[in-house]
Amino acid sequence: MSFKSIMREFKDIKEGIGSISRRGVEGKHWRGRAKSHIAPDETPEETDQIDQGQWANLPPELLLDIIMRVEESESSWPARVVVVHCASVCRSWREITKEIVKTPEQCGRLTFPISLKQPAPRESPIQCYIKRDNATSTFLLYYGLVPSEGENDKLLLAARKIRRATCSDFIVSLVSDDFSRASKTYIGKLRSNFLGTKFTMHDSEPTFEVPRQLASQTSRRLHPRQVSLRLPACNYCIATITYELNVLRPRGPRRMHCIMHSIPMSSIEEGSTVQTLTSIPETFNGQFPHLSSSIGKELLSDNSSASLSRSPVLAQGSEELLVLKNKAPRWHEQLQCWCLNFRGRVTVASVKNFQLVASAEPSHNVPAADQERVILQFGKIGKDIFTMDYFYPLSAFQAFAISLSSFDTKPACE
């Protein structure tokens, strides 16, 4: 083979690779390069149809019946994973599956990752348990009453505690082996102060409509080199947890208050609803999604010098926020300890055990029964095993973050 023929073949291969790379970066403009090639005209509709595959050609009535039967038959994990598989087939399957699968408030089931940020049912709790690993400072939230023998329970969330000089951070993720904020599995975090008496709960995604002016002001605080395309520029403060100073120290129970900045007090009233996310918004492209809500929140950036003492709520409207407090235990003379009725879900005495109820004032017109209704309960059942049951209007992420605050060391409270 002559040298010219070899160079000709090498040139053909180079042009073929170049055309493939140009198709992979379609829509991007390269600066400082002349436009010497003409891109082929590709119809988006044909491309979408090719991506859908052969399963997209099923009649809608048949597809609807198939997914409904699957959703009704597989009501518990791990068998319910087939519902997620149905949503992963193609776009048409995904849209129909999203219409059929209801929110946890409506069906009492956790299916997609977005379910972890949606409120629980009103009547029955969603029951989970937490495994603690002191060696790695990790906490795993599983879906189920107690650990099963096969250890094939559904992992909902995972958290890792990171100690810093002046605070502690609990990084919450969807997986147990990746706690990077640059990962798509990052959900949020819980940060404590130095004494472990005040915690702020941060969500990686907004649960409200961000004003354009506020969003532009916040984005200007960050230098372009400091922002990654996959790293959320801001954390959204959605709750504040405080522990009161315990005068009795080890002999007295903990006293805690939770201010839910994303949940109004009217949510515990009969017939009221809470703003529910239907999909995880995309915030990695530098634009903020637009979701409706009646309460504004402040955007707290990790790159800014926002302190825990700053108010995380922007005063918009007169609607009051939901405040939770721990249910006061009673002193048991025979056992010589403080007791709460956990209805069999907690079996080991621990200072970490608690039940949260709504802290309603007489002006809120909340019935006495609703004031005593437990919204979140957490307690110990074994060595490094804890149960967590939460009701409406809390979500799994909010309940998990509140429970994590009980694991942190509190020198001023104990």
Side-chain angles (χ1 to χ4, degrees):
M1 181 180 294
S2 63
F3 179 77
K4 290 184 178 181
S5 61
I6 295 176
M7 293 300 298
R8 190 182 303 111
E9 291 185 2
F10 178 78
K11 183 178 180 181
D12 295 338
I13 296 174
K14 183 178 180 181
E15 290 179 355
I17 297 176
S19 62
I20 295 175
S21 62
R22 284 193 299 274
R23 287 195 300 268
V25 297
E26 182 182 358
K28 297 184 179 179
H29 301 281
W30 296 89
R31 297 180 180 179
R33 180 179 293 184
K35 299 180 179 179
S36 57
H37 300 279
I38 299 177
D41 185 10
E42 297 180 357
T43 306
E45 290 75 13
E46 296 179 358
T47 304
D48 293 343
Q49 186 64 27
I50 294 176
D51 294 340
Q52 292 266 18
Q54 59 181 353
W55 295 103
N57 299 325
L58 291 178
E61 295 80 5
L62 177 60
L63 180 58
L64 181 65
D65 182 68
I66 293 175
I67 299 180
M68 287 184 63
R69 291 175 180 268
V70 172
E71 202 277 335
E72 293 175 359
S73 60
E74 309 299 345
S75 59
S76 60
W77 289 89
R80 194 164 175 77
V81 71
V82 298
V83 180
V84 181
H85 291 165
C86 289
S88 306
V89 174
C90 61
R91 185 174 303 172
S92 59
W93 283 60
R94 180 165 59 252
E95 294 300 327
I96 294 180
T97 306
K98 288 169 60 178
E99 294 179 1
I100 294 176
V101 177
K102 304 300 181 182
T103 63
E105 180 184 356
Q106 297 171 330
C107 66
R109 302 171 184 172
L110 300 176
T111 306
F112 301 114
I114 190 61
S115 304
L116 303 175
K117 294 189 177 182
Q118 295 174 337
R122 290 179 178 268
E123 303 300 331
S124 59
I126 292 183
Q127 298 176 317
C128 313
Y129 68 91
I130 298 175
K131 278 188 176 182
R132 176 180 60 181
D133 189 349
N134 290 321
T136 58
S137 297
T138 56
F139 306 85
L140 306 180
L141 177 66
Y142 289 93
Y143 191 22
L145 295 175
V146 293
S148 61
E149 296 181 357
E151 295 185 355
N152 57 351
D153 297 323
K154 172 61 178 176
L155 176 66
L156 299 179
L157 293 170
R160 170 170 292 174
K161 182 179 179 179
I162 301 177
R163 299 181 183 272
R164 306 188 187 278
T166 59
C167 64
S168 297
D169 283 346
F170 291 86
I171 307 300
V172 183
S173 173
L174 289 173
V175 295
S176 59
D177 56 354
D178 187 1
F179 295 95
S180 172
R181 289 188 63 244
S183 173
K184 292 183 179 180
T185 60
Y186 173 74
I187 294 295
K189 70 176 182 179
L190 181 74
R191 169 166 291 184
S192 71
N193 61 356
F194 178 74
L195 297 177
T197 57
K198 188 173 184 179
F199 298 80
T200 50
M201 187 191 309
H202 300 273
D203 197 332
S204 62
E205 305 289 350
T207 58
F208 54 92
E209 183 176 357
V210 180
R212 291 181 177 271
Q213 182 180 2
L214 179 60
S216 61
Q217 291 176 358
T218 306
S219 61
R220 282 197 294 269
R221 298 177 187 174
L222 306 177
H223 193 273
R225 294 182 179 180
Q226 297 176 341
V227 180
S228 172
L229 293 178
R230 295 181 57 191
L231 182 64
C234 297
N235 277 320
Y236 302 86
C237 182
I238 60 174
T240 303
I241 308 166
T242 57
Y243 287 82
E244 296 182 6
L245 178 64
N246 191 353
V247 180
L248 299 178
R249 292 301 176 95
R251 290 187 57 85
R254 292 176 176 177
R255 296 181 179 179
M256 58 188 301
H257 289 82
C258 304
I259 304 177
M260 310 305 298
H261 303 299
S262 59
I263 304 177
M265 177 62 75
S266 60
S267 61
I268 63 176
E269 298 177 359
E270 188 68 26
S272 61
T273 58
V274 176
Q275 181 67 34
T276 303
L277 289 175
T278 57
S279 61
I280 297 179
E282 296 291 339
T283 60
F284 301 109
N285 56 1
Q287 299 179 355
F288 295 92
H290 299 284
L291 302 175
S292 59
S293 178
S294 59
I295 303 176
K297 270 68 67 175
E298 180 182 4
L299 307 178
L300 296 181
S301 172
D302 284 349
N303 297 340
S304 63
S305 59
S307 63
L308 293 177
S309 60
R310 288 184 60 182
S311 173
V313 180
L314 297 178
Q316 293 183 359
S318 58
E319 196 164 10
E320 297 188 38
L321 303 177
L322 176 64
V323 179
L324 303 177
K325 66 178 181 179
N326 64 304
K327 191 174 183 179
R330 61 180 181 86
W331 178 257
H332 199 288
E333 290 293 342
Q334 296 180 351
L335 299 178
Q336 290 294 302
C337 63
W338 298 94
C339 297
L340 281 171
N341 184 11
F342 289 95
R343 301 185 183 277
R345 288 287 288 157
V346 178
T347 57
V348 179
S350 173
V351 70
K352 298 178 176 62
N353 302 344
F354 67 82
Q355 289 180 334
L356 293 185
V357 296
S359 178
E361 300 294 337
S363 58
H364 294 151
N365 296 324
V366 178
D370 292 341
Q371 296 183 21
E372 294 297 324
R373 184 175 65 89
V374 176
I375 297 178
L376 170 64
Q377 72 174 19
F378 169 83
K380 190 173 184 179
I381 61 173
K383 181 177 174 55
D384 297 327
I385 303 293
F386 302 81
T387 59
M388 187 195 80
D389 303 339
Y390 67 99
F391 289 83
Y392 177 92
L394 292 183
S395 65
F397 168 65
Q398 294 168 342
F400 184 47
I402 295 175
S403 302
L404 289 175
S405 68
S406 185
F407 289 106
D408 199 29
T409 305
K410 301 170 179 61
C413 301
E414 299 175 355

